[in-house]
Amino acid sequence: MGGNAAAARALGDRVRTALLDQVPTVVYRVSWSVRREEGQSPQRDESTGTLVLDRIDVCRLESVPA
């Protein structure tokens, strides 16, 4: 975890690298690769007196019964 926007972006990039384009195995289902739907830049929140950076990315996993 980092204390600035660059660190939040770097963490988001690591998560996307681990998840995107992966095809999870789901018992009794046929799955397609994980895709990114949308996202936003890191948002600053200092309301607690400590800097917190939130970043939201929405991903999609589609599957059908096998």
Side-chain angles (χ1 to χ4, degrees):
M1 187 149 91
N4 59 37
R9 280 190 292 277
L11 180 57
D13 291 344
R14 288 179 60 195
V15 171
R16 280 199 315 273
T17 299
L19 292 177
L20 293 185
D21 298 324
Q22 300 300 310
V23 180
T25 300
V26 181
V27 177
Y28 305 118
R29 300 202 59 92
V30 175
S31 300
W32 287 271
S33 58
V34 176
R35 296 286 178 212
R36 182 174 183 265
E37 291 285 307
E38 61 182 282
Q40 66 182 34
S41 299
Q43 305 296 309
R44 296 176 66 93
D45 180 1
E46 296 182 66
S47 62
T48 63
T50 302
L51 174 62
V52 175
L53 291 157
D54 293 323
R55 180 177 173 173
I56 299 171
D57 284 303
V58 178
C59 297
R60 174 185 295 261
L61 168 64
E62 293 186 63
S63 69
V64 295

